[in-house]
Amino acid sequence: MKKRPEDWLEAAEPAERTRGRFKVFLGYAPGVGKTFSMLSEGIRRKSRGEDVVIGMVETHGRSGTADVAAKLEQVPRRQIDYRGTLFEEMDVDAILARAPRVALIDELAHTNIEGSRFAKRYEDVFALLDAKIDVLTTINIQHIESVTPRVQSLTGITVRETVPDWVLDRADEIVMSDLTPEALATRMRRGDIYPMERVERALANFFRRGNLIALREMALQQVTRAVDRTLDQYVKTKQLGAHWTVAEKVAVCISSSAASRDLIARGARLSQAIDAEFYVLHLDTAHDREPDPARTLGENLQFAENLGARVIHLKGSSVAAATAAFATENRITQVIFGRSALTGLRKYLYFYAIHRFIAAAPHVDLHIITQETD
């Protein structure tokens, strides 16, 4: 008997699930279709026989979104009296009691009203995941904590609700709900996003074309990082080769020499030019613990951090072996070594080490930079 797609999916899952799957629909602005995409997946999963409920969906008065939401069961919201006013919040306890297979929860960055079980909606989500309930949720790029300052500087609009980056790092899947800025502006002018009386003001402020282009790029970068993290996990789990890579990664090997600052600067320029992750590697030695080398090394590492590098302290007796091992495990694509004007045995040992590195990490592009001697 031929297997259906859902049969393959069930066979691929562990026999005993330890937590629910966490899927995030990411957008760069209101109106790009995050909630609609989330609801559409919920309807598809329901059609496959899965038990799907809406925990919280905000339609913002959009009839198309409301019509789609009406096709799914909605867990009644909880009413909370706060200072004499009734507020409606998602009822996480009711969802836990209902125990569906899948819960749809809009606006992950939402702050719950005082008196709720948790302060933030993402905490509600983790309670459901811990109960082995799959969660589909939505968020815009401006609500991710590390991105918020850039968005506020760009748009001049204060973002009051944020989600820590580690929350997104725990997502099993991040999908970008995308429209071109031109298509989004067209939707805006049709009144599909905000009431017509708010359209012109929105287009002149947050929805300016330059803002939308920059926000979209930030969202695409976030998804790219998420894809690369997923690939990292897959490669390590399956023990695949270092040639399995998506994003460029640059690593610079430095010492306690003052000349290493030039290597770091070159590495920073290269990583910026090719939009790569940037690492600075140093093999710890007894020599580097002496006062003068330790001071110079500290200055080098501080310089690297100022340029956005991730500083890695390697262990071992061989720079070539330790660097090759790190490059292979972390799928580094470009490595920079320095070379001074060596002669005699030191020159031989240097090139021997380079050949050892090339043999151990054949998929890495190697750059050798001539340095001035100290």
Side-chain angles (χ1 to χ4, degrees):
M1 179 179 174
K2 186 177 180 179
K3 284 191 175 184
R4 301 170 300 165
E6 50 266 42
D7 295 329
W8 289 108
L9 288 171
E10 289 173 4
E13 288 189 347
E16 180 64 30
R17 299 201 315 162
T18 58
R19 64 188 290 271
R21 286 187 58 81
F22 183 25
K23 183 169 183 175
V24 177
F25 291 86
L26 174 69
Y28 69 89
V32 295
K34 303 178 305 298
T35 301
F36 191 89
S37 296
M38 178 182 70
L39 289 167
S40 297
E41 177 162 334
I43 291 170
R44 288 195 301 273
R45 294 181 68 163
K46 179 184 176 183
S47 72
R48 297 200 299 260
E50 295 185 54
D51 184 14
V52 180
V53 303
I54 292 175
M56 171 64 75
V57 161
E58 299 288 358
T59 64
H60 299 289
R62 298 166 194 160
S63 58
T65 303
D67 291 343
V68 176
K71 297 178 182 180
L72 293 169
E73 175 188 345
Q74 300 193 39
V75 176
R77 302 181 186 187
R78 180 186 177 195
Q79 291 194 331
I80 299 176
D81 187 326
Y82 180 67
R83 297 182 179 178
T85 302
L86 279 179
F87 292 86
E88 286 191 339
E89 291 285 9
M90 184 177 76
D91 194 336
V92 65
D93 292 312
I95 300 172
L96 288 167
R98 171 65 177 72
R101 173 64 182 264
V102 185
L104 278 53
I105 299 172
D106 220 354
E107 300 189 354
L108 183 64
H110 174 76
T111 301
N112 294 329
I113 199 70
E114 190 174 316
S116 301
R117 178 174 176 182
F118 298 107
K120 297 288 291 187
R121 185 165 289 168
Y122 68 78
E123 296 177 289
D124 295 331
V125 164
F126 284 124
L128 299 178
L129 293 171
D130 288 341
K132 303 180 183 179
I133 297 171
D134 291 353
V135 174
L136 311 183
T137 190
T138 66
I139 190 172
N140 274 332
I141 188 66
Q142 65 263 30
H143 296 292
I144 299 176
E145 198 168 60
S146 65
V147 179
T148 297
R150 293 167 59 197
V151 174
Q152 292 184 158
S153 175
L154 176 75
T155 65
I157 294 173
T158 301
V159 180
R160 302 189 185 281
E161 296 184 310
T162 62
V163 167
D165 288 55
W166 63 262
V167 173
L168 276 294
D169 290 343
R170 289 185 59 181
D172 297 291
E173 189 176 355
I174 298 179
V175 177
M176 184 168 172
S177 298
D178 192 25
L179 280 178
T180 64
E182 293 77 13
L184 184 58
T186 298
R187 293 196 67 195
M188 176 70 75
R189 291 190 181 95
R190 287 202 308 255
D192 294 344
I193 302 173
Y194 294 148
M196 293 303 295
E197 62 270 17
R198 294 176 56 190
V199 168
E200 290 307 318
R201 185 174 62 181
L203 288 172
N205 291 283
F206 185 86
F207 284 81
R208 291 197 305 271
R209 186 170 183 272
N211 285 356
L212 296 181
I213 292 171
L215 290 167
R216 188 184 187 210
E217 182 178 356
M218 292 179 202
L220 288 167
Q221 289 172 348
Q222 184 74 30
V223 173
T224 299
R225 286 192 292 271
V227 169
D228 201 49
R229 280 198 307 273
T230 303
L231 183 58
D232 273 334
Q233 293 167 359
Y234 180 81
V235 168
K236 289 175 182 177
T237 300
K238 299 296 184 180
Q239 298 181 335
L240 301 175
H243 60 284
W244 280 72
T245 188
V246 172
E248 291 280 354
K249 298 181 180 181
V250 174
V252 177
C253 300
I254 70 164
S255 67
S256 55
S257 165
S260 290
R261 289 172 66 92
D262 181 55
L263 296 181
I264 295 168
R266 284 174 181 253
R269 290 196 297 272
L270 175 61
S271 62
Q272 185 175 22
I274 63 176
D275 193 25
E277 294 180 40
F278 181 33
Y279 297 82
V280 166
L281 314 180
H282 174 259
L283 183 73
D284 295 327
T285 66
H287 170 72
D288 296 326
R289 290 191 286 273
E290 297 174 7
D292 287 343
R295 182 177 62 256
T296 305
L297 176 62
E299 292 170 352
N300 290 343
L301 298 181
Q302 184 61 58
F303 181 62
E305 290 178 351
N306 291 346
L307 294 182
R310 289 181 57 185
V311 172
I312 306 295
H313 293 276
L314 302 176
K315 303 295 182 184
S317 58
S318 166
V319 172
T323 303
F326 179 84
T328 301
E329 182 178 354
N330 294 276
R331 297 186 299 114
I332 302 298
T333 59
Q334 315 261 347
V335 168
I336 297 176
F337 281 110
R339 183 181 74 88
S340 55
L342 302 174
T343 59
L345 180 61
R346 292 182 66 191
K347 181 178 180 179
Y348 171 79
L349 293 174
Y350 175 85
F351 283 109
Y352 175 71
I354 290 296
H355 282 293
R356 285 188 63 191
F357 174 83
I358 293 172
H363 300 289
V364 175
D365 291 342
L366 180 61
H367 306 258
I368 299 178
I369 309 299
T370 301
Q371 300 171 276
E372 297 291 336
T373 55
D374 291 345

